Amino acid sequence: MSTDYKDTVFLPKTDFPMRAGLPAKEPEILKHWIDIGLFEKLRATSKDREKFILHDGPPYANGHLHMGHALNKVLKDVINRSQQMMGKNAHYVPGWDCHGLPIEWKIEEGYRARGQDKDEVPVIEFRKECREFADKWIATQIEEFKRLGIEADWDRPYKTMDFASEALIVKEMGKFLMNKGLYMGTKAVLWSVVEKTALADAEVEYHEHKSPTIWVRFPIASSKDPLLDGASVVIWTTTPWTIPANRAVACGAEFEYVVYEVEELGEGSLARVGERLVLNRELSEQVRLDARIEKWREAGVVSDLTEVRVQHPLRGLEGADGGYDYDVPLLQADFVTNEAGTGFVHVAPSHGADDNELGRKHGLEVPMMLDEAGIYYDHVPFFSGACVYTQEGKPGDANGKAIKALIETGGLLAKGSMRHSYPHSWRSKAPLIFRSTPQWFISMETNGLREKALKAIDDTRFVPEQGSNRLYKMVEGRPDWCVSRQRVWGVPLPIFMEKKTGEPLRDQKVLDRIVEAFHAEGGDAWFNSSPARFLGNEYNPDDFEQIMDVIEVWFDSGSTHSFVLEARPELKWPADLYLEGSDQHRGWFHTSLLESAGTRNRAPYDAVLTHGFVLDDKGRKMSKSLGNIIAPAEIIAKYGADILRLWVVASDYSQDLRVGDEILKYQADAYRRLRNTLRFLLGSLDGFTDEERLPVEQMPELEKWVLHRLTELDVIVRKSCDDYDYHAMFQALHNFCAVDLSAFYLDLRKDALYCDAPDSTVRRAARTVIDILFDSLTAWLAPILCFTTEEAWLARGKKGAEESVHLRTFAEIPASWKNEELASRWDKIREVRRVVTGAIEVLRAEKKIGSSLQARPAVYIARNELMEAIGDLDMADICITSQIELVRADAPEEAYRLQDVEGVGVVVDIAEGDKCQRCWKVLPDVGSHPHAEDTCSRCADVLVKS
């Protein structure tokens, strides 16, 4: 019976468990961070370092976290932690966007459910309910963010509804008021009749919508071209309700316009035989089909469309009292295309952005047609009381009434319907309209705001680079910034209008009093104070109208740099980085840029990083209707937060990210490989002390190769952190652990670690390198796997070490470890090894051997450079075989080969000798050592020494 040598083998020993149990373990680690005051310690240890400030784009204080929140905050945390470990002071202040329509909507939902009229609730009480609602959700979201492992100044977050914040938002708006960049204008803005307010671009989403389509005649009233006499210009529109507001028709400057005379009609056609229609040649055939005209003839090409006037199509409408009996001009406009329609566009300056701009350019009337509920005012001829959309967001009677009126006047040529992408409110999901209303705007031209913003974009670093072009084009072509909203939960516009002149009061002393009041009482002061409090003794309140609009929330968040970065001495202005989803090119990045460029002549950030959106595993947007929503809390409960964090960096977050159960299982498998690597390192370091450490110059080549690999990884890690490319960093670290360590170095060195004498050079070298590996990997992986690396660091229990892995910095890897010549040699050695292991796997698959230690490969090498690379190295150890034969010759025909490794072939025989009962190698000398039966000479010597 053979002796049991199990107790003489140095097997790995560690309390770091194989099974992570992250859902239970991570809360314990969170408590540890609280107990040691991790955030405070980070600030204390890095207070004299260079600052790295990632300014937090504020999430909205409404509801539980979704996967978009998780992606965003985890990525920010990875960046902050890595910059901290790069030797900087990454003080991260989280923030919340608190004002605006979504919270008002929620409070109003409660009113509606209780049958309560919002208009009967005092403004201050309503604002108090909104504030309490925001505070409740901020507290909830803080705990949910903490559970993700986000390290931040949670005790001192910023909120846009804090009194100090509201005061400085007003102060920032006051700067635009004082430099005359802020003005009141009447423009067509996107308006929600359901929420009764204008919406910013970022509050708009596009959905499929069914609209009526009409083709309308505008009879020529006067022109210089005789061909146009008696003809009608034809327009096409999907908004019949805007026809009463028509004040012009637009045409394209480069198109060919033709007069067609109708000769034959199809069934149901509203055209008339003999009538003459003016159309864009490229679009005319489709118009003929849509109007059911069987035949027409070309009467001629229009030579001159200048100085043309056309009749309003509702001229002579009974019951309109002559309200539409006027002519309108034909104007050239660059927004007219030949993609669809007729080549002519009906212009209603009250109800379209392009229309409004064209109208302002040519001095057209911009009539006030609709009230805030989307109902025609009483003064609108014939259409008084007609409704565009109901309070439920359903189509009203305005379109139908306009179509009937056009039939009555003979203006309608054809009608139909179409489904197309249409703007909707992101909150109520109701379709929107363009509505002309008095609003407050920040001019893009006054004070050169557009030019300043474009220069600031050129001076900013964008990751990825294409973000620069996207933002540049948006700013280059954007209209003036509408900053007023007709709501009450927000920061009031600090404006008094002089009744006599209609001009806003521009007085710095008045603004200063408003700011002072807001510091003390917040925006409520505007609603519960008399105007005299702000106007002082210099002005008579009866001479002024106090504006009761509030500032749009994108100005709030666009001003955060002023009341966070500039107001907190522990931070700095400008920020090193702004990071949000790619939609924020039209949101926070955009408005922050405009606000800062308009007040400080540059962007509030040095760099901008954007990430994609989270989709389900099929590439679909998550929605309740599809039933595919995955909440971060579900993932954490099942897998743990570190798996979610791993998913973030394992994905290319510059693109849209997919998530689903199979994807998460894949990441969990990758996590297990990393965890098992750390566990093996910990187990192999059991009992390791500094006395055992071996100087690098005394180490075998293999250990020096590992140290060389660390120099390469150090470059990748640091460059990835500088480039914010944590996907590349993770891939490099994961591949190093899986391929270079687990599948090669650690696998190869198990024999020396388990079976060599404690004082053997190889074992000491291996344990020294493993200690270096552990220190390096736990630091490099800490920003990503913040919980697991902390657990491993605490399990290591180094005397005198930091209380947390996160209090460390990345190790300085000595440049002397870099050895390209050695790396090139080991690349060749590993080429040979791959062929050997491949040949052995064939025998294992055929059940001829169980372990590679039972093999005796004959390795035929025909390439001199490979033989020279191997030199005097023990290839049996490197290939984890008991014996090996190297032959400088071409391999026999039956040898195993790999196509990508030329000049190497392997023939595998069974190893000769008996199996050592301690190390399991098969060697001829096993059994020849009386003092250690059934062992090889190496093991026998170890047993004698022990």
Side-chain angles (χ1 to χ4, degrees):
M1 185 176 179
S2 61
T3 305
D4 184 358
Y5 292 105
K6 181 180 178 181
D7 292 341
T8 72
V9 176
F10 305 105
L11 295 174
K13 182 181 178 183
T14 178
D15 293 330
F16 187 73
M18 181 183 298
R19 293 181 64 84
L22 293 175
K25 185 65 179 178
E26 288 171 346
E28 297 176 12
I29 294 172
L30 286 171
K31 183 178 183 302
H32 168 71
W33 291 340
I34 294 172
D35 290 344
I36 67 170
L38 177 59
F39 184 82
E40 292 73 22
K41 279 186 165 63
L42 285 167
R43 303 286 68 77
T45 57
S46 59
K47 61 183 176 64
D48 296 325
R49 298 181 192 167
E50 175 189 353
K51 292 178 181 179
F52 175 85
I53 303 301
L54 190 164
H55 182 37
D56 190 31
Y60 204 71
N62 179 16
H64 291 285
L65 302 187
H66 53 64
M67 286 301 294
H69 289 120
L71 164 63
N72 179 265
K73 274 294 197 290
V74 166
L75 189 53
K76 289 175 179 176
D77 191 59
V78 169
I79 290 173
N80 282 320
R81 288 182 185 273
S82 62
Q83 292 295 325
Q84 183 78 27
M85 299 188 87
M86 288 263 283
K88 297 179 182 178
N89 180 4
H91 189 131
Y92 178 54
V93 176
W96 273 269
D97 210 351
C98 308
H99 297 123
L101 186 57
I103 288 179
E104 283 203 39
W105 192 253
K106 284 293 184 182
I107 302 303
E108 289 178 20
E109 277 184 353
Y111 290 165
R112 287 190 288 271
R114 297 189 298 269
Q116 190 174 0
D117 186 350
K118 176 220 170 181
D119 294 336
E120 294 179 358
V121 179
V123 169
I124 298 301
E125 182 180 326
F126 182 79
R127 286 172 58 86
K128 179 173 179 288
E129 289 187 58
C130 291
R131 185 177 295 277
E132 290 171 349
F133 181 93
D135 267 331
K136 181 193 78 169
W137 281 110
I138 289 172
T140 297
Q141 290 184 3
I142 283 177
E143 295 308 310
E144 293 175 343
F145 281 133
K146 286 181 179 178
R147 184 61 186 86
L148 286 167
I150 313 302
E151 192 65 36
D153 196 349
W154 295 116
D155 292 336
R156 298 178 63 241
Y158 78 83
K159 307 172 189 176
T160 58
M161 67 180 184
D162 286 340
F163 291 174
S165 300
E166 293 185 335
L168 286 176
I169 291 168
V170 161
K171 186 176 181 180
E172 291 299 304
M173 184 60 76
K175 295 176 182 178
F176 289 98
L177 175 64
M178 293 302 295
N179 68 19
K180 299 186 179 181
L182 181 68
Y183 71 94
M184 189 183 77
T186 300
K187 286 189 177 181
V189 295
L190 277 171
W191 184 273
S192 170
V193 301
V194 175
E195 291 130 325
K196 296 184 177 64
T197 190
L199 297 185
D201 286 346
E203 297 170 318
V204 177
E205 57 188 23
Y206 286 80
H207 301 294
E208 185 181 83
H209 182 74
K210 183 178 180 180
S211 295
T213 55
I214 56 172
W215 291 256
V216 181
R217 303 177 182 90
F218 281 71
I220 303 289
S222 62
S223 76
K224 295 190 299 184
D225 188 343
L227 182 65
L228 296 176
D229 292 347
S232 294
V233 164
V234 180
I235 67 93
W236 172 82
T237 182
T238 59
T239 53
W241 63 268
T242 62
I243 290 293
N246 176 271
R247 293 299 183 269
V249 172
C251 63
E254 305 299 325
F255 303 145
E256 183 179 52
Y257 289 95
V258 177
V259 176
Y260 296 93
E261 183 173 322
V262 178
E263 295 183 333
E264 294 181 20
L265 304 178
E267 184 178 353
S269 176
L270 297 177
R272 297 185 287 267
V273 172
E275 74 172 314
R276 293 150 60 86
L277 306 175
V278 188
L279 299 162
N280 179 328
R281 182 186 292 279
E282 292 186 38
L283 299 169
S284 61
E285 180 59 19
Q286 186 60 51
V287 174
R288 186 185 69 78
L289 295 172
D290 291 330
R292 300 178 187 178
I293 297 172
E294 291 293 332
K295 182 180 178 182
W296 61 20
R297 73 174 185 87
E298 183 176 321
V301 177
V302 179
S303 61
D304 190 355
L305 280 176
T306 61
E307 299 183 32
V308 173
R309 295 186 69 80
V310 296
Q311 297 178 18
H312 195 289
L314 294 176
R315 176 186 286 270
L317 177 63
E318 186 176 348
D321 297 326
Y324 303 104
D325 295 353
Y326 54 84
D327 301 333
V328 299
L330 189 65
L331 305 171
Q332 290 186 355
D334 56 10
F335 58 78
V336 181
T337 72
N338 58 6
E339 295 175 3
T342 67
F344 294 100
V345 175
H346 135 67
V347 176
S350 304
H351 303 299
D354 289 333
D355 306 48
N356 192 271
E357 288 296 316
L358 187 67
R360 291 176 66 199
K361 179 180 178 181
H362 292 277
L364 300 180
E365 178 193 9
V366 184
M368 303 288 284
M369 307 290 282
L370 300 175
D371 68 12
E372 63 179 10
I375 298 172
Y376 279 99
Y377 286 120
D378 290 344
H379 66 262
V380 179
F382 187 77
F383 293 93
S384 170
C387 172
V388 180
Y389 288 108
T390 68
Q391 290 306 292
E392 292 73 37
K394 305 299 181 184
D397 61 347
N399 277 326
K401 196 166 185 177
I403 293 171
K404 289 178 182 177
L406 287 167
I407 293 173
E408 182 180 329
T409 62
L412 190 69
L413 176 65
K415 65 176 181 175
S417 65
M418 69 177 291
R419 291 191 173 275
H420 60 136
S421 180
Y422 190 84
H424 289 67
S425 165
W426 74 280
R427 173 55 48 186
S428 68
K429 309 303 179 186
L432 304 176
I433 61 172
F434 273 99
R435 175 177 178 247
S436 180
T437 60
Q439 299 287 348
W440 290 90
F441 298 86
I442 291 175
S443 170
M444 292 299 296
E445 311 309 330
T446 304
N447 305 311
L449 177 54
R450 191 186 311 276
E451 183 181 344
K452 292 174 183 177
L454 293 175
K455 181 182 183 302
I457 293 170
D458 288 336
D459 294 339
T460 299
R461 174 189 174 196
F462 285 83
V463 183
E465 290 182 1
Q466 57 264 34
S468 173
N469 293 334
R470 187 177 181 191
L471 184 54
Y472 195 99
K473 288 178 180 177
M474 287 181 175
V475 172
E476 189 177 39
R478 70 156 294 139
D480 291 347
W481 183 5
C482 179
V483 293
S484 54
R485 293 293 181 269
Q486 291 67 50
R487 308 299 293 183
V488 296
W489 176 229
V491 179
L493 268 168
I495 299 172
F496 287 97
M497 286 279 288
E498 189 174 11
K499 295 176 181 178
K500 183 178 180 180
T501 64
E503 287 293 314
L505 175 63
R506 295 183 172 94
D507 187 318
Q508 190 60 51
K509 290 181 180 179
V510 173
L511 278 171
D512 291 343
R513 284 193 284 268
I514 296 170
V515 171
E516 182 182 4
F518 279 30
H519 264 293
E521 303 165 33
D524 288 356
W526 191 253
F527 297 99
N528 61 15
S529 302
S530 69
R533 176 182 182 182
F534 309 115
L535 292 171
N537 297 325
E538 299 92 338
Y539 301 101
N540 181 353
D542 292 338
D543 295 337
F544 294 89
E545 176 191 354
Q546 183 178 4
I547 301 301
M548 303 310 288
D549 289 352
V550 298
I551 299 170
E552 78 134 331
V553 294
W554 289 103
F555 189 93
D556 286 14
S557 57
S559 303
T560 57
H561 66 95
S562 69
F563 57 84
V564 180
L565 300 180
E566 289 182 332
R568 297 196 177 193
E570 68 272 22
L571 306 180
K572 68 172 184 176
W573 190 99
D576 292 283
L577 183 66
Y578 273 35
L579 185 167
E580 299 299 329
S582 56
D583 59 331
Q584 294 308 308
H585 289 111
R586 67 185 182 121
W588 191 52
F589 301 148
H590 193 130
T591 56
S592 297
L593 169 68
L594 295 185
E595 202 288 324
S596 183
T599 55
R600 293 156 179 81
N601 298 320
R602 63 149 295 164
Y605 40 69
D606 287 335
V608 167
L609 187 153
T610 52
H611 58 74
F613 299 104
V614 181
L615 309 174
D616 73 4
D617 51 2
K618 295 181 178 63
R620 302 173 302 177
K621 183 179 179 180
M622 292 188 184
S623 68
K624 290 180 180 178
S625 60
L626 290 175
N628 61 348
I629 293 177
I630 301 175
E634 296 174 29
I635 296 174
I636 292 171
K638 185 174 182 179
Y639 295 102
D642 264 358
I643 304 301
L644 195 154
R645 295 173 68 96
L646 189 61
W647 163 77
V648 170
V649 297
S651 308
D652 180 1
Y653 45 79
S654 66
Q655 306 294 321
D656 290 342
L657 289 76
R658 297 188 181 195
V659 68
D661 204 47
E662 289 303 314
I663 293 171
L664 292 169
K665 286 178 181 177
Y666 179 83
Q667 300 304 341
D669 286 341
Y671 169 83
R672 276 190 284 272
R673 287 190 287 273
L674 291 170
R675 184 178 182 87
N676 286 339
T677 299
L678 293 177
R679 186 170 187 271
F680 185 86
L681 297 179
L682 280 167
S684 300
L685 289 171
D686 180 45
F688 180 77
T689 62
D690 285 340
E691 289 71 28
E692 188 181 335
R693 197 177 299 278
L694 193 72
V696 173
E697 58 270 16
Q698 298 178 26
M699 291 182 180
E701 271 194 13
L702 181 56
E703 276 62 37
K704 291 179 180 177
W705 171 81
V706 174
L707 297 179
H708 167 79
R709 286 288 291 122
L710 289 181
T711 67
E712 293 180 324
L713 281 169
D714 184 58
V715 171
I716 292 172
V717 167
R718 292 178 185 275
K719 185 177 187 303
S720 296
C721 291
D722 287 338
D723 294 344
Y724 308 124
D725 187 0
Y726 297 93
H727 177 63
M729 172 178 162
F730 169 73
Q731 293 296 335
L733 292 174
H734 177 268
N735 291 340
F736 175 69
C737 290
V739 179
D740 290 345
L741 295 185
S742 295
F744 179 57
Y745 175 69
L746 296 178
D747 197 29
L748 191 160
R749 279 296 186 239
K750 283 178 183 176
D751 178 69
L753 289 168
Y754 295 179
C755 300
D756 273 11
D759 61 351
S760 84
T761 297
V762 174
R763 188 172 190 275
R764 287 179 61 198
R767 298 239 291 172
T768 302
V769 166
I770 286 173
D771 184 58
I772 295 169
L773 282 169
F774 179 81
D775 283 359
S776 299
L777 287 173
T778 49
W780 288 338
L781 288 169
I784 301 167
L785 302 177
C786 65
F787 292 105
T788 300
T789 51
E790 183 75 307
E791 182 187 3
W793 182 252
L794 296 176
R796 178 78 176 88
K798 269 192 174 183
K799 288 184 179 179
E802 290 86 351
E803 295 174 278
S804 168
V805 69
H806 302 293
L807 290 169
R808 301 171 57 208
T809 55
F810 292 154
E812 293 295 331
I813 304 297
S816 59
W817 291 358
K818 188 176 182 63
N819 191 331
E820 295 289 357
E821 183 179 344
L822 181 67
S824 177
R825 178 183 177 187
W826 275 89
D827 285 345
K828 296 181 179 68
I829 293 168
R830 293 179 75 179
E831 277 191 73
V832 176
R833 183 179 188 271
R834 279 201 300 120
V835 185
V836 175
T837 55
I840 291 171
E841 282 304 310
V842 172
L843 265 66
R844 285 165 57 91
E846 295 173 351
K847 307 295 184 184
K848 292 180 179 179
I849 61 173
S851 163
S852 64
L853 292 174
Q854 296 174 278
R856 180 183 182 277
V859 186
Y860 295 85
I861 303 175
R863 291 161 54 192
N864 288 334
E865 72 270 20
L866 296 183
M867 288 295 287
E868 291 172 4
I870 293 170
D872 59 356
L873 292 174
D874 187 344
M875 282 299 289
D877 277 351
I878 291 171
C879 296
I880 315 179
T881 61
S882 297
Q883 302 154 36
I884 200 166
E885 179 185 4
L886 301 180
V887 183
R888 190 189 292 267
D890 291 330
E893 187 176 341
E894 72 273 15
Y896 176 87
R897 295 173 173 81
L898 289 178
Q899 287 186 349
D900 62 332
V901 184
E902 294 182 5
V904 180
V906 178
V907 177
V908 181
D909 288 329
I910 305 301
E912 298 175 355
D914 294 323
K915 178 181 177 180
C916 173
Q917 296 302 307
R918 184 169 181 271
C919 70
W920 295 1
K921 287 184 178 180
V922 178
L923 297 165
D925 71 334
V926 172
S928 62
H929 309 287
H931 58 282
E933 296 180 359
D934 303 325
T935 66
C936 64
S937 58
R938 186 270 307 264
C939 289
D941 289 345
V942 173
L943 291 171
V944 168
K945 293 179 181 179
S946 61

